[in-house]
Each structure stands twice: as structure tokens, then as C-alpha cells.
Amino acid sequence: MEEQSVKQCCATFYGSDFARMLLGDSFHPGGTRLTTRLGELLALSPQSHVLDVASGRGASAFHLAESFGCKVIGVDLSEENVRLATADTSQRGMIGKVTFQLGDAERLPFGSETFDAILCECAFCTFPSKPVAAREFCRVLKPGGQLGLSDLTRSEAVIPGLEGLLSWIACIGDALPAERYAATLQEGGFHVSHTEDHSDALVEMVRQIQAKLLGAEIVAGLKKIDLPGVDFATGRQFAQAALQATSNGSLGYVAIAARKP
Ligand SMILES: C[S@@+](CC[C@H](N)C(=O)[O-])C[C@H]1O[C@@H](n2cnc3c(N)ncnc32)[C@H](O)[C@@H]1O
């Protein structure tokens, strides 16, 4: 599939109500707990100006601003996510502290050396050109700026039951081993300072998705809700294959901290 279509498809899925039903507001394993951990690794303070790349519905951007007092800009390719996150800004009393705008991680709409820190959760693996995104991250960071990334890892080239477009949307399609992410960041101009495994958070998330799929299927079966276009059987098989892959170590989740020299 062409790069632009993959990106748009991923953005459309994560802008949908179905994604929110399955994942809640935080679209990554570990939820706000892991976001707090990344905020600590980034040594955020009220003086920090942070960019959240692929900010989704804004849960992490709000969480960082509330927890560390920093100013955050979220950028995402999904118009719907940007609209919904922006609508939440006033409700959360975050006007002036957190803003959202449309943009592509591979062509960030910001000047060079703008930010003290970048957060990028569960999205780097979906970018068709990771080296370009890594260079963009480095460009918009000030010298000495920090990057906190968390992402899916994949050690096998082919994982049975996890191929095709669904795997792209689920961020699995082009996920890499942790060392390959680190190498891509280094080549993009970063010094990788820390890597930690959070695969347990991925197992927990897949189990929650399985439970929610089952619940939605039961409710749809009782004809209480109409979910056109949702193929529960495929979703169920996919979640089962993902769980299998996490238990044999083919899939995992990692947090990486890196610094622009
Ligand atoms: C798995 S979600 C993660 C969202 C958010 N970081 C979180 O953890 O809640 C992936 C997000 O990446 C966004 N996205 C995908 N490709 C993108 C790109 N090239 N540039 C910016 N955002 C992108 C999608 O719209 C989606 O909101």
C-alpha cells in the first residue's frame, strides 16, 4: 500500500469512536502511567516547552501539562483527533498551556530548535519513513533537547496472523526491534541514553482489548448497538495472535530516551 494511504488510514482509524471504545483516551500501552515515566526521563519542568508528536486525542499532552506544569503542543495527522483534543482544552482549563494542530511527523510544521523536549508514543513505528521523522525530531529540538519515545517492538519479520492493513493500524506492520529504533535515532542525530522494556503493559492492553471486543460483540449481537463495518471475528483472531506473539517475545513494548547533542 502506498505510504500516504497507510498514514491516512492509521489517522482515520485513531480518529474513530471505535478506536476510543477499544483503547480509551490513551492510545498506547501503559496509559498515563508510562507517560509519567517518559516525563521523568525527559526531566520535564514548568519551564519545558514540549512537542507531543502524533498526540491522538490529547490524553498525554494534558497529562504532562497537569503533572509537570510544562507547555505542550500536540501535532497529529488526524483532523478528528485534533478537533476533539482542541475541544477538550477549555473543558480541562488548559487554554494557553496545551494546544493541538494538524501536521505530519515527517514534515513537522515548526521552525528549527523550537522545543526542549519531544514525546512520541506508539506512533513512530507507523511512520513509513522513520529516518526522515528522526531527523525532523532532531531539527525541531533545541541543542541538549530530549526525546522520549515509547513503541511496539517486533523481532520476527513475519508474525502469523498479524499481517496486512490491520497490522499497520495496530502499529505492528512496520514495528522494529528496539535496537533498530535506537540505531535510527542515532543516525538522525540523537544520542540514545536509556532503553527500558514495558512489554507487560502491551500484554495488559491486548487483554483489555479482547475483553472490550467480546463485550461489544455481545451487545451488537443483542442488537442494542449498530457497528457497521466492524468485523469482530477478524478483530478477535488478531488480538489472539497479538497475545501469542507477546508471550513468545516476537512482540513487545519499549521506552527509549535520547538526547540531541
Ligand atoms: C496509536 S495512536 C497514538 C496516539 C497518542 N500518541 C497516544 O498515545 O494516545 C497513533 C497516532 O498517530 C497518528 N499519526 C499516524 N501517522 C502520523 C503522522 N505521520 N504524523 C502525525 N501523526 C500521525 C494517528 O493519527 C494516531 O493519532
Side-chain angles (χ1 to χ4, degrees):
M1 187 178 232
E2 203 208 307
E3 284 189 0
Q4 215 50 33
S5 321
V6 168
K7 281 194 213 174
Q8 279 308 335
C9 214
C10 176
T12 303
F13 173 76
Y14 285 104
S16 71
D17 287 340
F18 190 56
R20 195 173 202 183
M21 185 276 284
L22 284 185
L23 302 168
D25 281 335
S26 217
F27 293 169
H28 62 265
T32 49
R33 178 172 42 89
L34 189 47
T35 304
T36 301
R37 175 67 188 138
L38 286 172
E40 289 163 0
L41 288 171
L42 293 170
L44 297 182
S45 74
Q47 283 70 47
S48 308
H49 190 198
V50 182
L51 175 66
D52 181 3
V53 178
S55 46
R57 296 276 169 116
S60 297
F62 291 127
H63 182 70
L64 288 183
E66 280 159 5
S67 309
F68 297 91
C70 51
K71 218 170 153 186
V72 188
I73 295 185
V75 65
D76 199 280
L77 200 59
S78 155
E79 276 180 43
E80 186 62 358
N81 277 343
V82 172
R83 189 184 68 75
L84 289 165
T86 303
D88 275 356
T89 310
S90 59
Q91 267 181 347
R92 290 190 176 236
M94 284 281 156
I95 289 178
K97 202 83 184 147
V98 181
T99 54
F100 298 95
Q101 69 181 77
L102 200 61
D104 188 336
E106 293 173 11
R107 267 175 303 157
L108 288 170
F110 306 103
S112 300
E113 302 188 4
T114 302
F115 298 96
D116 301 300
I118 292 180
L119 178 81
C120 184
E121 298 173 299
C122 205
F124 193 74
C125 64
T126 68
F127 303 154
S129 183
K130 295 169 186 44
V132 172
R135 284 197 296 274
E136 273 297 84
F137 290 5
C138 203
R139 180 183 68 78
V140 302
L141 272 178
K142 294 175 187 166
Q146 306 264 11
L147 167 68
L149 185 144
S150 74
D151 228 318
L152 279 153
T153 59
R154 164 187 178 126
S155 60
E156 309 276 329
V158 176
I159 302 179
L162 291 181
E163 301 311 315
L165 181 62
L166 194 55
S167 80
W168 270 96
I169 291 169
C171 310
I172 292 165
D174 203 27
L176 301 173
E179 314 79 66
R180 296 264 312 274
Y181 289 132
T184 306
L185 294 177
Q186 301 252 137
E187 282 157 22
F190 284 96
H191 168 72
V192 174
S193 51
H194 188 75
T195 302
E196 56 188 40
D197 185 71
H198 287 277
S199 301
D200 52 343
L202 177 61
V203 174
E204 191 185 310
M205 183 167 147
V206 176
R207 290 221 166 99
Q208 281 168 5
I209 290 174
Q210 276 184 317
K212 285 182 184 168
L213 271 176
L214 185 65
E217 193 172 5
I218 291 168
V219 176
L222 294 171
K223 303 209 183 313
K224 293 216 171 98
I225 54 166
D226 183 25
L227 294 172
V230 175
D231 179 349
F232 287 109
T234 309
R236 227 184 309 116
Q237 283 163 13
F238 194 80
Q240 191 53 44
L243 208 53
Q244 172 98 26
T246 46
S247 63
N248 70 20
S250 318
L251 273 187
Y253 203 73
V254 72
I256 298 177
R259 191 175 149 274
K260 174 174 175 174

